[in-house]
Amino acid sequence: MSIKSAPGGWGTVVDMADVFEKFVAVVAAGLREADDPLDGAGLAGRVHLSRFHFDRVIGAVAGESPFAFRRRVLLERAAYRLLTEPVAVLDVAVEAGYGSHEAFTRAFARAYGMSPREWRREASRVFFLAAPSGVHFQPPAGLRLPARRKVRGMDVLVRMVEHHVWLTAELIERGARLDAATLDRPIELSVEGIDDDISIRYLLDRLVWQEEMWLASVEDRPFQVPECGREVVTPIPELRTRHADAGARFVALVNQLNEEGRFDESFVDTTCEPPRVFTYGGMVAHVLTFAAHRRSLLVGAFYTAGITDLNAGDPMHFVAEGN
């Protein structure tokens, strides 16, 4: 679908893609709230357009009105909850914005061809409804956006991620050889705006929770950034355990995205304030870029501390040799 600019009223021009992105972020944020009171005018206000132009832009991009888009997503969430949770139909109906059990049952039957009670008897059903935009509810509380184009042939990127995860594990193991004073000694070189007031322990911790943070974002789970700094002492065994879990899951995610050609597919990160839309490829590029800076600092710091057997900081041989 080609998305272009369009008149926005009062002599202005709106970027339709930008408006749709903001609209999707608002809808996604509402999925995380127990009671989302926004109506059509409220949604239009969130993206700073009149109700008329808002309805026109979203209708043109999504192929359905903002009301129909949001109602469909809420029905998809309701269908998912009916399949996966022992929740009362009335509670699901209220959460989906219906004032009564009967109104919800009628709408659900029109959409899925059966009543909610019949639907939940079969746990293997697909809850996606037909959607011109390709945007669907993504459990547990997010939205799945389609890729603008099919992206394959990213094997080198996958190998770089595997190298990053492998090298982080190696760095943690080298950290286990050092005493606390060396682990927490300041590394004089720092980059303002990325990391400052750093130590070996601090950088190891950042490498691990960067994986944990983006996994939580993709899976739409809450994430609290861990306390980092001179006053926080994270034991190396804890970092080893956390990385063994998060690293393996991050590599599995990137491999899945590569196999399915989904690097250009978007997701809504509702852990941001306000929620933001990212592509999976952009997320992976972000992780590798900032992790490379931290890994390089760590390799140098370990060398200064007398650990010189870590010679795999450059991914060139790792990627070429398939280690």
Side-chain angles (χ1 to χ4, degrees), residues 193-207:
I194 300 178
D195 292 309
D196 54 7
D197 194 25
I198 56 178
S199 65
I200 291 176
R201 191 192 304 272
Y202 170 89
L203 290 173
L204 291 173
D205 201 10
R206 286 295 294 261
L207 285 173

Side-chain angles (χ1 to χ4, degrees), residues 134-192:
V135 179
H136 295 282
F137 172 71
Q138 177 69 34
L143 292 177
R144 176 177 177 176
L145 285 70
R148 294 185 296 271
R149 57 191 173 90
K150 207 75 167 177
V151 178
R152 296 189 182 277
M154 300 295 284
D155 293 336
V156 172
L157 178 62
V158 173
R159 292 296 294 151
M160 289 179 67
V161 170
E162 291 173 345
H163 170 262
H164 158 63
V165 170
W166 171 82
L167 183 54
T168 297
E170 292 293 306
L171 291 166
I172 291 172
E173 292 307 315
R174 298 315 188 276
R177 303 180 188 176
L178 302 177
D179 58 30
T182 305
L183 278 171
D184 300 317
R185 181 182 303 143
I187 298 174
E188 297 303 328
L189 176 65
S190 65
V191 179
E192 296 293 333

Side-chain angles (χ1 to χ4, degrees), residues 86-144:
V87 61
V89 173
L90 180 58
D91 292 338
V92 174
V94 172
E95 184 184 57
Y98 293 87
S100 69
H101 184 290
E102 292 74 17
F104 173 69
T105 298
R106 287 194 298 270
F108 193 93
R110 284 195 301 270
Y112 289 97
M114 65 188 71
S115 72
R117 295 189 186 281
E118 292 172 320
W119 168 265
R120 77 186 325 171
R121 292 180 190 142
E122 177 55 65
S124 62
R125 297 189 189 278
V126 176
F127 59 85
F128 288 168
L129 294 169
S133 65
V135 179
H136 295 282
F137 172 71
Q138 177 69 34
L143 292 177
R144 176 177 177 176

Side-chain angles (χ1 to χ4, degrees), residues 28 31-32 72-74 76-77 80 127-128 134-146 217-221 253 256 262 265-268 270 280:
L31 292 174
R32 298 178 65 91
R72 175 182 56 77
V73 168
L74 291 175
E76 288 182 343
R77 180 177 66 175
Y80 170 78
F127 59 85
F128 288 168
V135 179
H136 295 282
F137 172 71
Q138 177 69 34
L143 292 177
R144 176 177 177 176
L145 285 70
S217 176
V218 168
E219 296 164 2
D220 202 25
R221 293 184 290 101
L253 169 65
Q256 180 182 356
R262 293 171 52 204
E265 188 174 291
S266 304
F267 65 98
V268 180
T270 55
Y280 289 110

